[in-house]
Amino acid sequence: MMIARSLILLSAGLATAVSAQERPGFKDTPLLPDGRWRVHDADRPAPVVVTPAAATGGAPSDAVVLFDGRSLDAWQPQGAPWPVKDGAFTVPARTPGGGESALVSRQSFGDVQLHLEFRSPNPPTKSSQDRGNSGIWFMQRYELQILDGYRNPTYADGTVGAVYGWKPPLANAARAPGQWQSYDVIFERPRFGADGKLLRPAYVTAFLNGVLVQNHQAMLGTTVWRKVAAYEAHGDAAPIQLQDHDSPVSYRNIWVRPLPAAAVAQDLPGEAK
């Protein structure tokens, strides 16, 4: 019975495909550049259904929620714990002589869409790089800067929205300290050959408070302070890390969507495909 039913379903699918191909004039419709589908091809698979969140900035149905305001179960601190209060968590104060306490996701990711909200301390007590400094480290290597950038002069490749140590943001869209701000980021991991050679760099597209600050920007490599970044071959997935720069920056509403291969496949060089 199962075999017969499968044959019936397969026959129905073939009939649908054939009927589409036999539509008047369909064979004269040109093929798209990928050579697989024609323009307006009725047999082309429909997109996967994803239910968006009811509220702007909320996690869609296929997201991995890293923080929903309740616990840091999705994270592990590399040092002192990050306290959770009133639906947010905050970089912990350092003890005298204490070192950095980064926060690292337990799950590893490669190509992702990330939403994250942060708040700089208010009132600010310091300036430049010591004022509301933190950062998002994709794959624990590639930093997108978090800083209190509101009326806070600093070097351009270190302000909020910058690819740290490389590309200043396209605009300064910072809100005043004490206000919640949002990042929406597309991160595309680098691709390496079997010999470790870089085939395609990492790319980042970022919106800060709804304003485009990085547009498909190639990254130079692993972020290093006061050095030009460079690549070293690594795996296809690694944790996301939030930086402790000895400033009480707070976070809330963090989620990611691992991206399908189709999201980046269009411009991958041959071996990287």
Side-chain angles (χ1 to χ4, degrees), residues 150-167:
Y150 186 79
R151 299 178 182 175
N152 179 31
T154 190
Y155 45 86
D157 61 6
T159 192
V160 64
V163 176
Y164 188 79
W166 166 223
K167 276 292 178 179

Side-chain angles (χ1 to χ4, degrees), residues 70-108:
R70 291 177 289 184
S71 78
L72 285 175
D73 290 346
W75 301 85
Q76 49 189 351
Q78 305 294 296
W82 291 39
V84 177
K85 182 180 180 182
D86 298 331
F89 64 86
T90 302
V91 178
R94 294 187 186 180
T95 58
E100 179 181 345
S101 298
L103 192 67
V104 179
S105 67
R106 296 185 184 276
Q107 188 169 340
S108 293

Side-chain angles (χ1 to χ4, degrees), residues 136-255:
I136 308 166
W137 291 66
F138 293 94
M139 306 189 86
Q140 291 190 279
R141 292 172 174 86
Y142 310 107
E143 184 184 9
L144 184 64
Q145 174 74 319
I146 287 177
L147 190 81
D148 182 353
Y150 186 79
R151 299 178 182 175
N152 179 31
T154 190
Y155 45 86
D157 61 6
T159 192
V160 64
V163 176
Y164 188 79
W166 166 223
K167 276 292 178 179
L170 298 171
N172 182 346
R175 299 189 191 279
Q179 296 185 24
W180 283 104
Q181 309 194 59
S182 65
Y183 258 134
D184 287 283
V185 184
I186 302 297
F187 173 79
E188 302 173 34
R189 67 173 177 85
R191 265 63 178 178
F192 300 95
D195 59 357
K197 179 182 177 181
L198 179 69
L199 302 177
R200 181 179 184 269
Y203 284 91
V204 64
T205 298
F207 290 83
L208 174 64
N209 299 322
V211 177
L212 182 69
V213 291
Q214 299 290 342
N215 185 29
H216 197 60
Q217 176 60 55
M219 305 181 89
L220 294 181
T222 299
T223 301
V224 183
W225 184 54
R226 285 190 174 178
K227 292 183 180 180
V228 176
Y231 283 100
E232 292 185 3
H234 56 75
D236 294 347
I240 293 170
Q241 179 173 310
L242 300 180
Q243 182 185 28
D244 165 16
H245 198 277
D246 198 21
S247 182
V249 176
S250 297
Y251 291 90
R252 70 179 186 186
N253 191 21
I254 305 175
W255 52 264

